[in-house]
Amino acid sequence: MVATASAGPVRAEGAEPLKVVATFSILADLARQVGGAHVAVTSLVGPDSDAHSYAPAPADARRIAEADIVIVNGLGFDGWLDRLVKVSAAKAPVVVAARGVRTIAGDDGHGHGHAHDVDPHAWQSVANVRVYVANIRDGLAKADPARAKVYAGNAEAYIRQLDALDGEMRATLAALPPERRRIITSHDAFGYLAEAYGLVVLAAQGVSTESEASPKGIASLIRQIRRERVPAVFVESIADPRLMEQVARESGARLGGRLYSDALSAPGGPASTYLDLMRANLRTIAEALKG
């Protein structure tokens, strides 16, 4: 589903690449996979950066103003973009990548709920990313009809890769002993992963990294880890590791490694694409929980 401010020009074959602005790095990668050589993609929030606490800069308004198409997550994740669009007087169509996904409730107990208390981290389910890809495909085709077949072919090929990833994740995680399928993370970004693949996730913070973990909540989490003998806790790439180091130290659980939640790693890192991100998390979780 595409929210369109302007139909935009019809671009001829051989024209300059479509200028695409994505709000954060995971969306930028998906746009590159669908657009291929016919798009020039800019990510407002870069790799290893936290979109929850992002403060747009004046240069971002210029990027939005010059864009042919803008891609957002939606679900309240990147609501700061609305302000940028107004400031820049942008006329580019806005694609809401998460439109139509099956959502789950967010934990608003920390005082930082999102749109209608929905968990915005829908990309942690591969099934949802198939929807993201379809929305991006349709948005690119509407902005650049001359290349619609190219975008459709790229999307189809990428969805086949997503299907393979989904099967790999199901097989790997199903092999874990049921009593060990618990993960403890910094903030509640892995609810979709848990629901899709049979895990239980506990988090020190809510769905936003801007929420604060209370001493009472941390103490309760530590008691639960001890009581349920949770084997490992994980740090996140965008979070200060000291909180989870404290939880591990006081609960007796070991640090299971780093998980990538809301951002890719820098180019050349272990999670520089969405497929790499999911496989890096899969390896880390499976190794820590296999027993």
Side-chain angles (χ1 to χ4, degrees), residues 124-260:
Q124 289 291 342
S125 161
V126 177
N128 279 342
V129 173
R130 296 188 188 102
V131 178
Y132 277 49
V133 169
N135 286 331
I136 292 169
R137 174 201 64 204
D138 294 346
L140 294 179
K142 190 166 185 177
D144 185 11
R147 295 166 175 159
K149 289 184 178 179
V150 174
Y151 301 138
N154 290 346
E156 184 179 351
Y158 188 65
I159 287 173
R160 286 197 294 271
Q161 294 185 66
L162 292 174
D163 290 343
L165 170 65
D166 190 43
E168 181 181 336
M169 294 188 68
R170 291 185 186 283
T172 301
L173 295 175
L176 293 173
E179 69 277 7
R180 297 184 68 85
R181 294 179 194 168
R182 295 181 179 88
I183 61 175
I184 313 293
T185 60
S186 305
H187 89 290
D188 196 5
F190 297 95
Y192 289 93
L193 179 77
E195 184 186 65
Y197 303 108
L199 299 172
V200 175
V201 177
L202 303 172
Q205 297 167 279
V207 294
S208 171
T209 55
E210 291 185 291
S211 61
E212 293 185 4
S214 69
K216 182 178 179 181
I218 293 298
S220 176
L221 180 63
I222 289 170
R223 287 195 299 271
Q224 185 172 3
I225 292 170
R226 290 172 178 165
R227 183 173 63 250
E228 299 181 9
R229 298 182 179 180
V230 177
V233 301
F234 299 87
V235 299
E236 291 178 43
S237 59
I238 60 168
D240 187 328
R242 288 176 293 181
L243 173 61
M244 299 314 292
E245 289 169 353
Q246 174 195 347
V247 170
R249 186 168 57 250
E250 296 184 18
S251 69
R254 70 186 183 91
L255 282 173
R258 171 178 291 193
L259 297 180
Y260 293 86

